Amino acid sequence: MEGARVPLKGWQQAAVALGSAIGALMDPRRADLIAALVLLERPRVITSQVSHAWDMPENTFGSAYAKFMGSRNFSPDDRPPVRFMDTEELAYVATRAREVHDFWHVLFRLPTNLIGESALKVIEFEQMLLPMCAMSVVGGSARFSEKQRTLFFRHYFPWAMRAGIASTDLMCIYYEKHFHENLEDVRKRWGITPCPNPEA
């Protein structure tokens, strides 16, 4: 990891940011350029940076996120800081992964109960291939009742496996720049299939 890292001076970072921004605007599918922009600007999902979501019109991604947070009395500032990382870059990536979790709940239309959290961990594993995500699924499913376990493995688990693979690289999205966009439009653009109602 250290050998692949190229330190940049201030003007070089600005040049990369500008080039990445222009490239991402010209071709939104260039996840590498968007990821470069995110890493350089290092946005945080904290109240001071995402409060504009509460001002977004109905049916936008930002409005859906604000409703999700408000209905559960969640705050963007609730998540504890990431510790024990070797570099600032790794610490930021780990922080970003933790902070976009609630965005994914909204996009995949998953509840915040044990089944919903376990299903999202399946998607996180498909996206990031982190062993701790798989272990969370195992640990979560061990706490299911028999009825919950049957529902999870018949409905949520196969859907989450497909949804995680079908989606674009979700760690490379600058979510905050899409709050003003229609929720269904961003889902379609990012290849996201919301969780179907198990009772439907």
Side-chain angles (χ1 to χ4, degrees):
M1 289 289 291
E2 278 300 314
R5 182 171 176 265
V6 180
L8 299 177
K9 297 178 180 177
W11 69 269
Q12 291 173 317
Q13 290 182 346
V16 171
L18 179 61
S20 297
I22 293 172
L25 285 172
M26 293 177 65
D27 186 357
R29 295 169 297 179
R30 287 292 305 275
D32 59 322
L33 296 178
I34 299 169
L37 188 61
V38 170
L39 285 172
L40 283 169
E41 294 192 6
R42 297 194 181 188
R44 295 290 312 281
V45 185
I46 53 178
T47 299
S48 62
Q49 295 190 27
V50 300
S51 59
H52 60 292
W54 275 254
D55 301 323
M56 293 296 149
E58 193 75 16
N59 299 322
T60 60
F61 172 39
S63 173
Y65 169 67
K67 286 181 180 177
F68 170 86
M69 298 295 282
S71 66
R72 291 161 175 81
N73 201 27
F74 288 173
S75 167
D77 305 320
D78 285 343
R79 296 193 178 277
V82 170
R83 303 169 63 192
F84 310 118
M85 290 292 173
D86 291 337
T87 68
E88 286 186 16
E89 288 82 1
L90 284 176
Y92 175 73
V93 171
T95 297
R96 185 68 175 171
R98 180 179 291 180
E99 290 182 346
V100 301
H101 179 88
D102 290 326
F103 292 154
W104 293 15
H105 266 290
V106 173
L107 291 165
F108 287 102
R109 202 167 55 210
L110 281 169
T112 53
N113 56 24
L114 185 57
I115 287 182
E117 294 292 353
S118 297
L120 194 53
K121 286 299 178 185
V122 174
I123 292 172
E124 289 178 355
F125 177 76
E126 293 290 346
Q127 284 281 314
M128 297 181 280
L129 299 178
L130 294 176
M132 65 180 182
C133 296
M135 290 189 291
S136 294
V137 175
V138 173
S141 60
R143 296 164 57 194
F144 290 158
S145 67
E146 193 59 40
K147 183 178 179 180
Q148 288 175 320
R149 188 172 294 107
T150 299
L151 176 63
F152 180 75
F153 284 107
R154 283 187 180 174
H155 177 75
Y156 287 93
F157 185 81
W159 161 79
M161 290 287 288
R162 294 191 300 270
I165 293 172
S167 301
T168 190
D169 188 344
L170 298 175
M171 279 298 295
C172 294
I173 296 174
Y174 203 146
Y175 295 96
E176 298 87 337
K177 291 185 179 293
H178 299 277
F179 280 169
H180 66 287
E181 297 179 31
N182 181 275
L183 176 60
E184 294 307 321
D185 288 348
V186 296
R187 280 173 171 158
K188 186 174 181 180
R189 185 182 315 137
W190 299 332
I192 291 173
T193 303
C195 184
N197 186 344
E199 297 178 2

